[in-house]
């Protein structure tokens, strides 16, 4: 094989090993498109079936991603986000050394439907502020956020530049609403066309859908969000402890 050292490994494993080394070294950078099968087969002097098996191995290792109808690309490194305390997107990304930014897609007054009203402890039909934003890390869309705020809070928050000013910071530092705790519900799902367009991914792509209700003093709900994180870019991590009761069992 012209570009791989002599090895007792099967040919597909040698191709996989060489491409993995190029990805690790940065010769193939995140987001780069892999050459077509035929070109790789010529480069390595192997069959296209051998190349295909090597690529499948790299996909399985999370180093490559196949975008149907577009080609095979070097995967972006996943963001490791810990679910250990209540924090906002800006705080999370800054802690990881990423540059957080946002695009505001929509902000308007809306009538709370039954679910939103229940989350914010309001009557159905009560006016709330509804915001749509795309959250980016180092310029890459990571999350689509649909945020609902009680009207009296929202009318203050929307006066600010939400591209640069985090809502959590505004609530706590500008309007005296300390965030004490939040309830999270997380599930894996396929994104619809609206979310896909906002995140620059294909409709039906896997996303993590998080529903988060944040509470201030006296258990007052002040922020309800539906967050859609790209499944190809994020990995959520937490640490669990066994209770004393469980240990006794």
């Amino acid at each position: 094989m012209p570009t791989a050292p002599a090895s007792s490994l099967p040919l597909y494993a040698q191709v996989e090993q060489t491409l993995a080394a190029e990805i690790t070294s940065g010769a193939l950078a995140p987001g780069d498109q892999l050459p077509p099968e035929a070109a790789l087969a010529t480069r390595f002097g192997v069959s296209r079936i051998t190349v295909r098996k090597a690529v499948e191995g790299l996909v399985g290792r999370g180093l490559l991603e196949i975008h149907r109808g577009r080609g095979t690309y070097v995967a972006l490194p996943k963001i490791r986000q810990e679910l250990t305390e209540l924090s906002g997107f800006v705080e999370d990304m800054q802690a990881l050394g990423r540059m957080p930014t946002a695009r505001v897609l929509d902000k308007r007054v809306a009538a709370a439907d039954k679910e939103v009203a229940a989350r914010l402890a309001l009557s159905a039909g009560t006016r709330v502020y509804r915001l749509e934003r795309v959250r980016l890390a180092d310029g890459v869309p990571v999350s689509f956020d649909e945020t609902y705020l009680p009207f009296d809070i929202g009318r203050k928050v929307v006066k600010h530049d939400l591209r640069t000013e985090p809502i959590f910071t505004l609530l706590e530092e500008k309007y005296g609403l300390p965030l004490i705790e939040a309830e999270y519900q997380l599930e894996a799902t396929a994104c619809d066309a609206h979310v896909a367009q906002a995140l620059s991914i294909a409709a039906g792509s896997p996303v993590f859908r998080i529903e988060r209700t944040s509470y201030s003093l006296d258990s007052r709900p002040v922020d309800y969000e539906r967050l859609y994180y790209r499944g190809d870019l994020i990995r959520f991590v937490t640490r669990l402890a066994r209770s004393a009761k469980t240990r006794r069992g």
Side-chain angles (χ1 to χ4, degrees):
M1 187 157 38
T3 58
S7 171
S8 60
L9 292 173
L11 288 177
Y12 78 86
Q14 294 181 51
V15 174
E16 180 179 337
Q17 187 179 67
T18 300
L19 291 175
E22 292 178 358
I23 292 170
T24 302
S25 70
L28 286 171
D32 281 355
Q33 185 173 9
L34 201 67
E37 274 185 5
L40 289 173
T42 299
R43 171 189 167 186
F44 290 108
V46 298
S47 70
R48 293 178 64 168
I49 293 176
T50 297
V51 169
R52 193 172 303 137
K53 190 168 183 180
V55 168
E56 288 173 354
L58 293 167
V59 170
R61 292 163 62 180
L63 295 177
L64 293 177
E65 296 174 341
I66 297 174
H67 297 266
R68 301 301 175 190
R70 293 170 51 200
T72 302
Y73 293 80
V74 179
L76 297 172
K78 288 201 173 187
I79 297 169
R80 177 186 170 96
Q81 184 169 331
E82 298 193 5
L83 295 179
T84 54
E85 61 181 21
L86 176 56
S87 57
F89 183 86
V90 170
E91 296 164 320
D92 293 334
M93 294 304 108
Q94 288 176 338
L96 294 169
R98 305 287 185 117
M99 174 62 71
T101 54
R103 291 200 301 261
V104 179
L105 304 182
D106 189 37
K107 53 183 179 181
R108 67 178 68 181
V109 176
D113 62 21
K114 186 175 180 180
E115 182 178 6
V116 171
R119 298 291 184 182
L120 293 177
L122 302 170
S123 300
T126 300
R127 290 191 303 167
V128 295
Y129 264 92
R130 179 183 181 277
L131 312 174
E132 283 188 1
R133 292 172 296 162
V134 176
R135 317 302 294 277
L136 304 95
D138 297 332
V140 177
V142 172
S143 169
F144 171 81
D145 296 4
E146 182 183 350
T147 302
Y148 294 87
L149 301 167
F151 182 82
D152 60 323
I153 296 172
R155 66 185 177 86
K156 300 174 184 176
V157 167
V158 297
K159 295 177 182 178
H160 296 268
D161 186 352
L162 298 179
R163 295 173 301 175
T164 57
E165 296 184 80
I167 290 178
F168 276 15
T169 300
L170 291 171
L171 293 177
E172 294 190 311
E173 298 181 8
K174 186 76 175 178
Y175 299 113
L177 292 169
L179 299 174
I180 307 302
E181 61 181 356
E183 176 185 306
Y184 274 72
Q185 295 185 35
L186 187 152
E187 65 176 325
T189 187
C191 66
D192 62 24
H194 182 59
V195 172
Q197 182 179 21
L199 293 176
S200 301
I201 56 178
S205 295
V207 293
F208 290 106
R209 183 181 189 270
I210 298 175
E211 290 188 64
R212 179 173 68 192
T213 307
S214 301
Y215 298 87
S216 188
L217 298 172
D218 300 321
S219 298
R220 178 190 178 188
V222 293
D223 178 284
Y224 168 58
E225 298 171 280
R226 296 167 183 157
L227 313 173
Y228 300 84
Y229 280 86
R230 285 176 53 170
D232 61 332
L233 291 185
I234 198 79
R235 175 181 288 114
F236 291 104
V237 180
T238 189
R239 186 181 182 91
L240 304 176
R242 285 174 66 79
S243 67
K245 179 180 179 181
T246 304
R247 289 199 301 273
R248 286 197 299 271

